Amino acid sequence: MIVEIVAAVRNVDYWRAGVLMERFVRDADLAALAALRGALNEDAAVEQRL
């Protein structure tokens, strides 16, 4: 994805670069949320065992 963004900037296709950056950030945010949810689920499982 980063390579595509750099290529778009080099080709002066700023609209495409912006769209790709938006997708990249959204995907990163979703990955972070998924990791947080996994951590919370693990904490909940530990609490249930106690």
Side-chain angles (χ1 to χ4, degrees):
M1 177 78 63
I2 301 271
V3 173
E4 293 176 48
I5 295 169
V6 171
V9 170
R10 287 185 179 154
N11 291 331
V12 192
D13 189 354
Y14 299 119
W15 181 84
R16 178 167 169 70
V19 169
L20 290 170
M21 284 189 283
E22 191 173 313
R23 268 184 44 203
F24 178 76
V25 169
R26 183 181 65 229
D27 291 347
D29 287 347
L30 291 176
L33 287 174
L36 178 60
R37 183 175 7 163
L40 292 174
N41 286 340
E42 288 177 19
D43 288 347
V46 169
E47 290 292 323
Q48 285 180 348
R49 286 185 218 141
L50 298 176

